[in-house]
Structures are given as C-alpha cells and as structure tokens.
Amino acid sequence: MSDLESYLAGFDVDTGYLNWASFGPLSVAVREEARADEELSATGRPSGIELVAGHVDEARALVAGALDAAVDDVTLVPSTTDALFHALFGLAGTVLLSPHEYPSIPVAARRAADARGQLTVRELDAGITRLTPEVVQDTLTDDVTAVAVSLVDYRTGYLVDLPALREVVGDRLLIVDAIQGFGVVDVDWAAADVVAGHGYKWLRAGRGTGFARFSPRARERIAPVLAGVAGTEAELGDLDVGPPKAGAAAYAVSRPDPQAAGRLRAALREMTDAGIPSIAALVAENARRVMAIADAHGIPVLTDRDRHAGIVTLAPDTGRAGLIAAELTNAGVTATVRGGVIRISPHAGTPDAAFELLDAAFAAARVGPILSTPTPAPLLPG
C-alpha cells in the first residue's frame, strides 16, 4: 500500500459526509495516537509523560516542514483565533481586511484596536466580495502596515493568490488565516509573514491543534503583547517577568497540550507522507465533481471554478434551499445549509458513493414542491 493509499484508507466516516469545511472527523491514525497517549499519560510513569511531552517539538517540526519554514518560526496554539489575536494585538499602524472575512480576523483586529490604540482597522467596501491582488493594489495607502486575509474564503471556497498578494503588499506584513486550506491546497507559504492554522478541519486532528508561523520579519514588527509565562524566559521563583523568548515561542500564553500535539503530529505525518500535491489534486477534482452534479441539476454554483479549494457553495433558486436540505438529510448527506445557500465540502478520501447520494438528493429535490426560504445570509460558524 502506498503512502497516499494509506492516507485515503484513514477516512473512516459516514458515506455521505461532505462537511469537511465545518469539522473534520478524526482519522484512524489520529484516533490510534490519541488512545496510545491516553494510556501513556494514565500511568504516571515519568517515561510515559516525557514521551507524550515530546510530541510538541515533533509537531512543530512537521508544521515547519509543511510550511518550508524554520522550526523556530513555529509555535503551537489552541486555535487559529489564538494565533490571530497574537498577531493583531502586537501590530501597529493600519491593517487592511475584508468585512466578509470569517469573524476571527475582524474581531481580533477590532479588539486589538480598541484595547491598545495602536492599530487602525480599514475594511474594504462591503460590495467587494473577493480580496484579489487588484483590489488590494487599488486600496493600499502608505499608512497600511499589514493585510489580513483567509487563504480560502469560508463562504465560497475562493482561493486567494498568495504570491500575487505578496507582490502587491510589498514590504507590508501579510497575515493569513489558513484554516480552510492548510493540508488540502498546494501553495507557496513563504509568501505569508504570519500563517495561522488549526488541525480540526481538513487535517482531521481534532480540537486544540492550532499552530502558527511568525517569520523573522513578522517578529520584528509584531510585539508579543499577549505572551504568557510560556512565552517568556522567566523561571519559577523569578520576581521579574523576564524578556520574551526568542523565535515564535514568544507568541504563547501557556504551554501546548502535548496530547493535542500528538494528534496534530499524527495528522501531519499522514499528510506529508501522502504528499500535499497529491491530496490537493484529489480535493480539487472532488470539488469539480460537486460542481458538475450541481450543473446537471440546474443549481447555480457561487464558487469560482478556476480558483477554489474543497469548498463548493451553491445558490439554489429562491424557495429551493429548504427542500434540498431536507433531501440531503433523507439521503444521508451531511453538509452546511444556511440562509438560502448550501456549502458542500468533499475531501480527498470522499468515496464515489457520496457523490451518488448527492446526485440522488438533488434529483429528488428537483421534482419536489418549492418551499419558502429566507434571504441568503453569511455562513456561520466554520
């Protein structure tokens, strides 16, 4: 069995699960790692405790390898939001962002602006739905010190062009929320100064498996304002707080959870062994299969057909979303349906049978009665 085949064999989920953008059911390897670490942590033996604690450094090294970064650039955090709060609270100047971002970015930016008074938040016009290089270029002014963006739009699956954004942003910082793309898209991560991610969606590693990369340039400009005891050089008994640690370790409030790090390590090892390009190709192909099924049933596709990851968002005719949602449930398909839009998110390991169930659900909804639905609204959460 090849590494890719082994990776695909770890998708032990219900056939109709097409909701990876919301939550990633744990892989077989991650579950095995979690059980083993629980046993090691239960004995109280120093050897077992130390073995599990070692997962933190192992996970950091694997994240660094995936991002083509130095290990010192990487820190483990509880969530993507934690990493974004560290980045934006330590930033001065003006950050440019879209009001359509998942709230993790705008909430962190506004909290930082209100709390410290050193950051100004500038939002793009609400009529602009994609943060493209052209839009950024037309909006940038000299006072902008950073641009914050999601690698993949949680609403539509639009994949931003990181290298092109890097070129436009220039010497400013580029802060990227990678949760909807890390592990399933093949991109040049070096284009970003800050990468904030989490393993509970596409990596299938469960909650608490967040991570962040702060490049040397980012660390020069982002103060570790929220550094806790784990982010300083202070020793037990020191009366002085002490200076921040060197590297990305400064952006930590507390020590990482070693069991969460173990799950992240297991997921990352699967991912790297299988190969990101191979996984990304399968995810993109499966997204195109969803689009083709939607096209066959006359359901409009909101997702950009040229730049997308694993998310496909559909906009049925007014009154059809409720009926489609019911038929998806009847067919055993798990997806996100909210505000008149439907978000389907297949993974690399999604079986052919899942697409057959999706096709059958759309067919059943096509002949059913029209139900009233509310005006489309943003997809929340996740």
Side-chain angles (χ1 to χ4, degrees):
M1 181 181 292
S2 69
D3 289 330
L4 180 59
E5 289 171 335
S6 178
Y7 173 84
L8 296 176
F11 284 80
D12 182 22
V13 298
D14 288 346
T15 301
Y17 193 80
L18 290 167
N19 206 27
W20 295 91
S22 181
F23 177 77
L26 275 61
S27 72
V28 172
V30 167
R31 298 203 306 268
E32 290 174 350
E33 178 68 43
R35 285 193 289 267
D37 287 348
E38 285 178 357
E39 291 301 319
L40 288 169
S41 300
T43 64
R45 297 189 187 98
S47 58
I49 295 171
E50 291 171 5
L51 183 62
V52 176
H55 295 336
V56 172
D57 288 339
E58 294 165 352
R60 287 178 60 226
L62 286 165
V63 171
L67 297 176
D68 195 21
V71 175
D72 283 348
D73 291 353
V74 174
T75 185
L76 301 188
V77 291
S79 70
T80 306
T81 300
D82 282 78
L84 292 170
F85 264 71
H86 279 288
L88 291 162
F89 263 74
L91 186 68
T94 299
V95 60
L96 178 67
L97 54 87
S98 168
H100 299 293
E101 290 288 352
Y102 187 77
S104 290
I105 287 178
V107 168
R110 290 174 189 140
R111 293 286 183 266
D114 292 344
R116 298 190 67 217
Q118 296 192 27
L119 183 68
T120 299
V121 181
R122 179 179 301 165
E123 293 187 345
L124 296 174
D125 186 276
I128 299 173
T129 58
R130 292 176 182 171
L131 204 153
T132 65
E134 294 76 19
V135 165
V136 173
Q137 189 167 38
D138 291 342
T139 313
L140 282 177
T141 53
D142 291 342
D143 61 320
V144 173
T145 54
V147 174
V149 63
S150 294
L151 177 68
V152 176
D153 186 341
Y154 80 102
R155 301 165 306 139
T156 67
Y158 177 72
L159 173 65
V160 302
D161 188 339
L162 278 188
L165 278 179
R166 173 78 274 161
E167 185 174 349
V168 169
V169 169
D171 189 53
R172 302 168 181 87
L173 294 182
L174 181 56
I175 300 171
V176 177
D177 179 343
I179 192 170
Q180 287 292 10
F182 185 85
V184 291
V185 294
D186 188 15
V187 299
D188 181 9
W189 294 107
D193 296 291
V194 176
V195 177
H198 201 153
Y200 85 92
K201 293 181 185 267
W202 301 96
L203 284 182
R204 308 174 295 156
R207 289 281 188 177
T209 54
F211 56 88
R213 183 227 176 189
F214 288 84
S215 72
R217 200 160 69 98
R219 299 198 299 272
E220 290 175 359
R221 305 182 189 186
I222 297 175
V225 174
L226 300 181
V229 63
T232 72
E233 297 291 355
E235 300 289 343
L236 289 178
D238 285 352
L239 298 181
D240 186 15
V241 171
K245 287 184 176 179
Y251 304 98
V253 174
S254 61
R255 293 178 182 177
D257 177 352
Q259 291 188 11
R263 288 185 275 111
L264 179 60
R265 180 198 69 156
L268 290 167
R269 184 164 292 165
E270 280 191 298
M271 179 194 76
T272 53
D273 288 348
I276 288 294
S278 298
I279 295 170
L282 287 172
V283 171
E285 174 58 29
N286 284 341
R288 287 191 290 269
R289 291 182 69 176
V290 173
M291 293 179 189
I293 293 171
D295 289 341
H297 293 283
I299 302 175
V301 177
L302 289 181
T303 300
D304 189 295
R305 293 176 187 263
D306 296 321
R307 297 201 60 82
H308 61 81
I311 294 173
V312 179
T313 300
L314 311 176
D317 294 338
T318 301
R320 284 287 178 190
L323 178 58
I324 292 174
E327 294 298 348
L328 288 173
T329 299
N330 291 338
V333 174
T334 302
T336 294
V337 182
R338 189 174 293 111
V341 295
I342 300 167
R343 190 179 68 179
I344 310 291
S345 49
H347 208 313
T350 298
D352 291 341
F355 299 102
E356 294 169 3
L357 292 176
L358 183 66
D359 184 49
F362 286 169
R366 196 172 186 179
V367 299
I370 296 179
L371 304 178
S372 61
T373 56
T375 302
L379 286 163
L380 290 172

